[in-house]
Every structure is written in C-alpha cells, then in structure tokens.
Amino acid sequence: MLQKIQETADFLKSKISGSPKTGIILGTGLGNLVTQITDKTEIPYETIPNFPVSTVEGHSGKLIFGKLGDVEVLAMQGRFHYYEGYDMKAVTFPVRVMKAIGIENLLVSNASGGVHPDFEIGDLMIITDHLNLFPEHPLRGKNFTTLGPRFPDMSEAYSKDMIAKAKAIAVRNNIKVVEGVYVGTTGPTFETPAEYRYFRTIGGDAVGMSTVPEVIVANHSSMRCFGMSIITDLGVPGKIVEVTHEEVQEIGNKVQPLMTLIMKELIKEI
Ligand code: HPA
C-alpha cells in the first residue's frame, strides 16, 4: 500500500506545477465549485495509476488541480462509494495520496437526508461530527505508523476552527446554515421510515452514504477536516416521501452555489 501511495503521489506531482495544501472532495453531482477553479489541470481518474477503476461506465470523475481565488487546491470531482463495491482501502486511497502530496486541509461535500425535525429541504448543514455505521472500517488491518497511529484520536474529527470560520462566512453573506451530526451508512437504499427514526434516536441529524471513511483516514493522517451536507430530502416523521436520485441531484444543484461560496471564502482563511 505504501508503495502504491508513493507511486500515485509521484505521478500526480509530475503533472501539477504547485504544491497545494488544500484538498476538496466533491460529492456526486456537486461539481459547481470546480467551475470557479482557474489555471486548471484536469486528470481523469482512469489515467491515474493505482486509482480505483470505475464500476460505472464512462465518467468516473477527475482530479482537478488549480487555483480557487489565490489559493492552490486539489479537487476530486466525484468520489468512490462503498456501495459501488469498492473496499474501504480503495474508497479512501485518494485521501492517502492527497496526504502524500502535501495536503493539510480537507474539505468534503455530500448530499444527505435530514433527520433533524427542524431541517428543511435545501438546507446547508455544516458537519460538526459523525457516526460511523459502515460495516467495514478503513483502518482495519495492519497499521503503518508512517501513515498514522494505530488508535487515532477522533475528538475533533471536524475542525472547530474551520466550523467557526464557515459560520461567520455564512452570517456575513446572509446564507442560512444549520449544523449537525452526519450518519454515514452504506446505502445504496435510501432509508425506511424506521431507519430514519433510528438514526435520529442515536444522535444523527442527517444521513448519507459517504464522507465518513474519507474523514477517518484524513484524521489518521493528521489532516484538518471540514464538511458540508446539502439536505436534499427529509427522513422526518410526517414528512417522509418517496426519494429519487434525480430529486437529490436537483436539490443539490440548486443549493450548490451557496456551498461553493462558503467553501471558497473558507479556503482563503485557512
Ligand atoms: N439517505 C441516504 N443518503 C442520502 C439521502 C438519504 O435520505 N439523501 C441523499 N443522500
């Protein structure tokens, strides 16, 4: 694994000209932020050695190196989900590579179902913490101390400093944000009403199928993390209706520009 990480990092370093400290993982269909990146170098995943091979035909996504404002960033447009069949080492491999390239701050986005009774469709949620309900842990197995400790601390999995900065940015720009705990689960089914109730009962505010594995590995690698969810549907008693992937994407599209603004401003301040 160590050799593969290094190989991939060396390949990417040979393709990019700067030394970005900020990495971004954009949820499926949440590529709006990429339109703001200038001086772009785009590297399709299928051309990157050791990157997981897409299970979906055609577009698996790409890495984009460039500038957001004045800041160099390395963005992943599209991620690898556990439900697609990848094991957790594959899902989180890009985070390992980001660390090896020199990334220190990781920003992640996703779409999720709100289970907090006050949440509304289209809300932007700053992730304050998570609950890991994936059946496989990305750090299970031999630990390489060069990558991180055997028993990593998770007391501040999402940087309090970045959360405070993002909230201030939202206030300054008149953007409504909510805060909450993200429950990471496998999917690919959306939840039954009983499952939504369960996630609320155990302390969740929103539920989705990603983010948690990447944030665990980023913490293992001593990276600072910040995450935002777009609440695309509600798993709240009385408000549960049929959910489709298309609706999730449609709501995601509408709200993306606000999330982009917050992330862009935040990147300037970290
Ligand atoms: N559940 C799980 N994942 C999701 C949801 C949901 O309701 N909405 C968007 N991603």
Side-chain angles (χ1 to χ4, degrees):
M1 177 163 81
L2 298 178
Q3 200 185 329
K4 280 189 174 162
I5 294 166
Q6 203 48 52
E7 209 175 86
T8 309
D10 289 344
F11 169 83
L12 292 174
K13 277 191 225 159
S14 77
K15 296 270 173 195
I16 66 179
S17 48
S19 47
K21 298 273 178 281
T22 301
I24 307 169
I25 302 178
L26 298 167
T28 317
L30 300 181
N32 173 271
L33 184 134
V34 164
T35 62
Q36 309 267 316
I37 299 179
T38 57
D39 307 312
K40 268 188 241 184
T41 306
E42 301 195 354
I43 311 163
Y45 292 161
E46 53 269 23
T47 66
I48 304 175
N50 305 318
F51 248 48
V53 176
S54 173
T55 57
V56 194
E57 266 176 58
H59 47 88
S60 57
K62 54 194 171 190
L63 268 185
I64 298 148
F65 168 72
K67 281 191 168 173
L68 203 51
D70 289 333
V71 186
E72 284 178 339
V73 296
L74 185 63
M76 281 181 73
Q77 184 170 6
R79 54 153 60 89
F80 301 99
H81 298 90
Y82 186 67
Y83 66 74
E84 292 175 81
Y86 304 109
D87 66 26
M88 282 299 189
K89 295 279 187 284
V91 168
T92 56
F93 183 74
V95 181
R96 295 288 184 206
V97 172
M98 280 187 176
K99 175 69 182 185
I101 287 174
I103 299 292
E104 293 170 359
N105 302 306
L106 182 67
L107 278 63
V108 295
S109 69
N110 60 53
S112 66
V115 295
H116 188 296
D118 296 342
F119 284 5
E120 292 170 32
I121 290 177
D123 276 350
L124 274 175
M125 184 183 94
I126 293 177
I127 304 177
T128 53
D129 205 347
H130 74 219
L131 287 162
N132 177 19
L133 294 193
F134 285 93
E136 187 191 333
H137 198 287
L139 304 183
R140 193 173 83 88
K142 182 172 167 56
N143 186 62
F144 298 98
T145 43
T146 45
L147 298 181
R150 170 75 288 187
F151 301 107
D153 172 62
M154 289 293 280
S155 62
E156 195 183 328
Y158 298 82
S159 158
K160 288 198 175 100
D161 174 54
M162 284 202 267
I163 291 170
K165 287 189 164 110
K167 281 163 66 177
I169 291 163
V171 169
R172 267 203 317 269
N173 290 279
N174 243 325
I175 299 171
K176 179 194 174 194
V177 289
V178 295
E179 292 173 66
V181 174
Y182 177 89
V183 182
T185 183
T186 66
T189 44
F190 293 114
E191 284 66 34
T192 64
E195 286 165 346
Y196 282 127
R197 196 164 63 238
Y198 161 58
F199 293 147
R200 179 69 191 146
T201 304
I202 63 172
D205 296 296
V207 53
M209 307 174 195
S210 66
T211 301
V212 167
E214 293 117 319
V215 168
I216 288 173
V217 167
N219 273 271
H220 185 237
S221 317
S222 324
M223 291 156 90
R224 297 197 317 152
C225 295
F226 174 78
M228 283 188 95
S229 275
I230 295 180
I231 306 295
T232 55
D233 53 276
L234 293 174
V236 173
K239 295 185 183 168
I240 298 173
V241 291
E242 189 187 341
V243 194
T244 65
H245 180 59
E246 289 67 30
E247 280 163 348
V248 165
Q249 293 207 302
E250 194 189 312
I251 304 291
N253 271 332
K254 275 197 202 141
V255 190
Q256 278 193 79
L258 298 177
M259 189 171 72
T260 298
L261 192 153
I262 294 174
M263 288 207 171
K264 192 174 170 185
E265 291 294 306
L266 179 63
I267 284 166
K268 278 193 224 160
E269 295 182 19
I270 54 179

